[in-house]
Amino acid sequence: MNSLTPLRFHVPEPASRPGGKPDFSGVAIPKAGSTRRPPVDVAPEEIRDLAYSIIRVLNHEGQAIGPWVPDLTQDELVAGLRHMMTLRTFDSRMQMAQRQGKTSFYMQHTGEEAVSCAFRIALGPDDMNFPTYRQAGLLIAHDYPLVDMMCQIYSNANDPMKGRQLPVFYSSRKHGFFSISGNLATQFVQAVGWAMASAIKGDSRIAAAWIGDGSTAESDFHAALVFASTYKAPVVLNVVNNQWAISTFQGIARGGSGTFAARGLGFGIPALRVDGNDYLATYAVAKWAIERARLNLGPTLIEYVTYRAGAHSTSDDPSAYRPKHESEEWPLGDPVIRLKQHLIAAGAWSEQRHKQTEAEILATVIAAQKEAESFGTLHSGSKPSSRDIFEDVYSELPPHLRRQRQQIGV
Amino acid sequence: MPRMTMIEAIRSALDVAMGRDDNVVVYGEDVGFFGGVFRCTQGLQQKYGVSRCFDAPISESGIVGTAIGMAAYGLRPCVEIQFADYMYPAYDQIVSEAARLRYRSSGDFTCPLVIRMPTGGGIFGGQTHSQSPEALFTHVAGLKTVVPSNPHDAKGLLIAAIEDPDPVIFLEPKRLYNGPFDGHHDRPVTAWSRHELSEVPEGHYTTPLGKAVTRRQGEAVTILAYGTMVHVALAAVEETGVDAEVIDLRTLIPLDLETIATSVARTGRCIVLHEATLTSGFGAELAALVQEHCFYHLEAPVMRVTGWDTPYPHAQEWDYFPGPARLGQALRDLVEIR
């Protein structure tokens, strides 16, 4: 006879599923302006609380309050709003283009626009991002040509990636945007290496690493934190917690307690949690971490608390695993609407200007789309050369690839 | 000219490369202060400082992942995986990232990276200190794979690898670190100093990647080998009296097919020799290429003498290792086929 209690296997479940009522009661949201702003040279153990709180600047009335209010001018904030609106418009046009069969695949940023758009503005022009597939705001806020992005998505003859990469896997060294890979988390540790290189050379450039909540479970997340901590690498380690990894809620990657930010503390890395839908807070926290890196104070981990309002990709249907209107209930709202309200409250914006800007941006994006489509889309128009299959595998074409290229007659 | 062991030659290559180019950095587990568990990096930290040669956490994916980031920045990292048997945690970084960075970014980012790893058996290393995983690299588009067989080549190939703009997997047969080894484990170990290829120039030189070398000319059969197996091949040829041509491939990718095909076209027979397991090993690729390019010259099937399709055992080392007895038998069998 066994008197021991049978063990029970635990599998975390989200608060609600399709057909259920969205429930974010588990997400504790501190009041805007209520979180302290420590000096950048603070010891990580002195700001443990910031890894469990959420830094917020914009309150419900759209006012910017508290110690994290950044020194952005109203013009800069309007520019930020335009970046986010451009990304959203770009997303909807490309989503539609995929539905029209003009490309095979697309991934939207809906609800997460503030994270990458604000970060780019906080970063210097020569710093390097190691993004995931959901940070196109880094390109848009750095004036990367929309036409080039679209040509990449369409895999036409003007695609800078020569048709080799899935749509949205951009690369631009010039714009501080490292080549995107399909393999999750790999870039997180590469960013640390880039930052180590900058330190080895006595450079002043820093690196920014990007990862989603789900991918923090990959071993490279751990490796990145170890190396960043050991060598005090000048890197900002960005975790975008949008609550979902395809169909898997963030509790599967995180477990039942703690936060993603808190994972930095065990490595001796200062960690902050920020309202990812608050452009001002996101910018301010990014700026703080970037300054730390620039002053050789070492890495910082930032968790951006946001919500993936759209589907994971054009191949995904979220209604199969989460309540249909869950995104509308997300307590941190919509980053575009919140910045718009702030600017209106500050007297720097109006409903009319917003509508006018929306129309302008749509016209710009449509014009770019027309130009991109004039070069071709996935199944029509110009295509990258078949020779491009064989180029760039190595710096020079080795004999075996020369033979293979001859076999297809190019 | 000074005589060097393979360890000294590798150390000299790193020293020369670091001296010539400030962008060359060397790191890995125990590589810095201690100078490496095989002494290959001894003195480098003292000479070039901790920012050029340093110890790394025990994380193969971290070592290779950071090195890819450094290479993308513009450095030329030459990192060490302590044993090839422990490269698997880094395999994702090697295959999905290092190998493809140039291709997927259309040359926007490149990865001039060398990953050194001691490889091969014959040292009672058991399952995780003896493997020969070269086929797991040669199968990956975008990687170059190098295996030296002597101190002179080890230095020249390593400098060439570090100067190469592409990622290079540099496999060092640890059985050859201190002296040549022909598989006669029952005989006393010989030192490199008695071998002509231990004469190594002190300064800079390169041995080009993609070029094989014929170690012994012969007419009866062509033996394709690399690393430790080159010495096994030469011993078996001497012991059997079969007039075999022994080709040391040196680089597996890019492969010197011209040297191979020219030789087999003349001899009409071919044996492929490697320590790695048989099935889907690099020998399969060599056999297929020889068959494809020399079909009308072949007088017998291409044979493969390799490790068995098992994990590398400890106690049964010499029943596993494809030594001169097994190769000798294959040579005799092959020349008898009419």
Side-chain angles (χ1 to χ4, degrees):
Chain A
M1 221 177 79
N2 190 350
S3 62
L4 298 174
T5 315
L7 295 166
R8 287 187 312 276
F9 181 57
H10 173 67
V11 181
E13 267 295 313
S16 56
R17 288 294 196 183
K21 209 176 132 25
D23 176 11
F24 289 112
S25 56
V27 184
I29 311 281
K31 277 191 171 161
S34 67
T35 314
R36 67 196 176 108
R37 187 182 189 282
V40 290
D41 60 353
V42 71
E45 61 271 20
E46 287 168 21
I47 54 164
R48 284 182 56 85
D49 54 315
L50 296 186
Y52 293 92
S53 183
I54 301 179
I55 295 165
R56 303 180 65 228
V57 168
L58 293 175
N59 67 11
H60 283 304
E61 288 73 46
Q63 293 159 317
I65 52 171
W68 286 93
V69 175
D71 57 351
L72 287 167
T73 65
Q74 286 184 340
D75 282 352
E76 285 170 327
L77 287 174
V78 167
L81 182 64
R82 291 186 70 104
H83 292 147
M84 292 199 287
M85 291 167 74
T86 304
L87 178 54
R88 187 165 290 185
T89 307
F90 184 91
D91 271 348
S92 68
R93 295 296 301 183
M94 290 297 101
Q95 174 89 0
M96 201 195 308
Q98 190 277 340
R99 296 295 187 230
Q100 291 165 339
K102 291 174 181 171
T103 185
S104 60
F105 182 73
Y106 190 70
M107 304 181 96
Q108 298 194 91
H109 303 74
T110 322
E112 301 177 39
E113 291 88 347
V115 177
S116 54
C117 289
F119 192 89
R120 179 67 257 188
I121 297 305
L123 203 60
D126 297 325
D127 298 326
M128 185 62 71
N129 284 287
F130 287 73
T132 77
Y133 45 66
R134 223 186 292 279
Q135 274 89 45
L138 295 172
L139 287 173
I140 285 176
H142 202 43
D143 298 324
Y144 185 79
L146 298 181
V147 177
D148 288 359
M149 290 172 77
M150 290 167 172
C151 287
Q152 195 283 327
I153 290 163
Y154 289 144
S155 291
N156 62 27
N158 283 31
D159 171 6
M161 304 301 110
K162 298 184 181 170
R164 294 172 183 147
Q165 279 269 54
L166 269 182
V168 315
F169 287 16
Y170 316 104
S171 173
S172 179
R173 175 186 283 273
K174 217 175 103 188
H175 292 80
F177 192 95
F178 185 72
S179 157
I180 294 176
S181 166
N183 291 67
L184 299 176
T186 49
Q187 76 288 343
F188 213 61
V189 67
Q190 291 161 5
V192 176
W194 198 98
M196 287 164 67
S198 186
I200 286 169
K201 297 306 282 185
D203 198 346
S204 59
R205 293 181 289 168
I206 66 151
W210 293 89
I211 201 166
D213 48 285
S215 303
T216 59
E218 292 280 7
S219 56
D220 278 344
F221 175 71
H222 181 270
L225 267 56
V226 172
F227 277 70
S229 163
T230 298
Y231 301 110
K232 290 196 183 298
V235 61
V236 181
L237 302 160
N238 296 306
V239 178
V240 183
N241 176 9
N242 68 14
Q243 316 298 318
W244 291 96
I246 308 186
S247 73
T248 307
F249 95 110
Q250 45 108 0
I252 293 287
R254 183 179 53 80
S257 60
T259 64
F260 292 105
R263 308 225 145 151
L265 297 174
F267 294 86
I269 297 174
L272 310 171
R273 243 171 140 233
V274 60
D275 177 350
N277 291 12
D278 178 339
Y279 186 93
L280 281 78
T282 297
Y283 172 87
V285 168
K287 196 87 184 159
W288 189 88
I290 290 163
E291 192 186 337
R292 264 182 56 78
R294 199 88 70 196
L295 291 172
N296 213 36
L297 295 166
T300 307
L301 190 145
I302 305 173
E303 176 185 344
Y304 302 83
V305 183
T306 182
Y307 184 88
R308 194 197 78 208
H312 166 69
S313 72
T314 49
S315 308
D316 175 49
D317 173 16
S319 71
Y321 51 80
R322 67 185 191 191
K324 206 166 184 176
H325 300 293
E326 194 180 75
S327 69
E328 291 160 27
E329 305 291 322
W330 174 241
L332 296 175
D334 179 301
V336 175
I337 293 172
R338 285 177 65 195
L339 182 55
K340 173 189 160 193
Q341 281 176 341
H342 167 68
L343 285 168
I344 290 174
W349 201 242
S350 66
E351 286 292 350
Q352 194 198 345
R353 278 189 70 186
H354 194 81
K355 273 205 169 67
Q356 202 181 335
T357 304
E358 257 176 351
E360 265 171 45
I361 286 172
L362 182 62
T364 307
V365 173
I366 287 175
Q369 192 177 3
K370 276 188 179 149
E371 188 183 341
E373 290 180 10
S374 76
F375 303 120
T377 60
L378 181 61
H379 301 296
S380 69
S382 74
K383 269 181 178 340
S385 159
S386 307
R387 288 175 72 91
D388 287 328
I389 299 172
F390 302 95
E391 301 292 331
D392 293 330
V393 181
Y394 298 94
S395 53
E396 285 174 32
L397 201 67
H400 69 288
L401 286 185
R402 192 173 302 279
R403 286 194 298 275
Q404 289 171 29
R405 197 176 74 180
Q406 282 162 356
Q407 277 175 26
I408 69 163
V410 289
Chain B
M1 206 181 293
R3 290 192 176 271
M4 295 187 194
T5 65
M6 196 185 267
I7 290 167
E8 290 161 344
I10 287 161
R11 192 189 301 149
S12 174
L14 293 170
D15 188 5
V16 166
M18 291 175 89
R20 282 168 65 94
D21 184 351
D22 287 346
N23 289 325
V24 177
V25 292
V26 171
Y27 64 102
E29 295 155 21
D30 305 300
V31 160
F33 182 82
F34 180 56
V37 295
F38 292 106
R39 321 309 301 152
C40 288
T41 56
Q42 194 172 27
L44 295 178
Q45 183 176 82
Q46 208 174 7
K47 185 167 177 182
Y48 295 101
V50 289
S51 66
R52 300 282 307 281
C53 176
F54 53 91
D55 291 313
I58 304 175
S59 169
E60 287 76 15
S61 75
I63 290 168
V64 175
T66 52
I68 293 167
M70 287 186 194
Y73 175 94
L75 299 191
R76 286 185 174 264
C78 179
V79 297
E80 179 181 302
I81 302 290
Q82 201 160 79
F83 288 86
D85 313 64
Y86 300 132
M87 68 83 185
Y88 304 103
Y91 199 54
D92 187 31
Q93 287 287 347
I94 295 171
V95 175
S96 311
E97 301 292 320
R100 298 199 204 140
L101 186 54
R102 178 188 294 275
Y103 190 74
R104 74 167 196 238
S105 70
S106 287
D108 194 22
F109 293 94
T110 61
C111 191
L113 159 71
V114 177
I115 308 173
R116 293 178 40 240
M117 40 184 116
T119 188
I123 56 148
F124 282 99
Q127 294 184 27
T128 55
H129 300 80
S130 306
Q131 294 168 33
S132 298
E134 61 270 16
L136 296 174
F137 301 119
T138 56
H139 191 57
V140 179
L143 297 179
K144 294 177 175 173
T145 303
V146 176
V147 194
S149 70
N150 59 75
H152 187 275
D153 282 2
K155 179 172 174 182
L157 288 166
L158 183 52
I159 294 175
I162 292 170
E163 294 176 354
D164 195 275
D166 296 317
V168 180
I169 306 295
F170 196 85
L171 294 163
E172 301 167 2
K174 57 189 159 305
R175 178 67 230 213
L176 300 180
Y177 268 157
N178 289 302
F181 178 67
D182 61 11
H184 284 292
H185 54 94
D186 45 346
R187 296 179 189 167
V189 179
T190 55
W192 274 117
S193 58
R194 311 229 306 261
H195 195 285
E196 58 173 358
L197 290 170
S198 71
E199 285 197 353
V200 178
E202 296 217 54
H204 177 269
Y205 70 94
T206 58
T207 304
L209 307 187
K211 294 280 177 228
V213 64
T214 304
R215 296 288 174 207
R216 182 194 186 278
Q217 294 188 334
E219 297 300 324
V221 50
T222 300
I223 302 175
L224 303 179
Y226 48 91
T228 308
M229 289 298 120
V230 172
H231 304 277
V232 172
L234 292 169
V237 168
E238 198 173 312
E239 288 154 25
T240 56
V242 173
D243 183 24
E245 182 143 302
V246 178
I247 294 177
D248 179 353
L249 298 176
R250 301 199 288 201
T251 310
L252 307 188
I253 302 285
L255 182 68
D256 187 352
L257 181 60
E258 201 183 328
T259 298
I260 295 168
T262 306
S263 173
V264 178
R266 201 177 68 250
T267 62
R269 287 172 163 82
C270 181
I271 291 185
V272 176
L273 181 64
H274 61 58
E275 286 182 70
T277 51
L278 176 71
T279 301
S280 304
F282 190 63
E285 181 63 31
L286 290 170
L289 285 169
V290 167
Q291 181 274 140
E292 187 185 337
H293 292 268
C294 307
F295 185 72
Y296 294 106
H297 299 281
L298 284 174
E299 294 165 32
V302 179
M303 288 182 74
R304 287 180 285 166
V305 177
T306 71
W308 308 120
D309 280 337
T310 69
Y312 203 108
H314 183 243
Q316 304 92 331
E317 172 112 67
W318 304 116
D319 292 331
Y320 180 91
F321 185 91
R326 264 175 62 200
L327 177 60
Q329 189 56 52
L331 273 172
R332 282 189 288 266
D333 291 349
L334 188 61
V335 289
E336 277 167 23
I337 295 171
R338 300 252 173 262

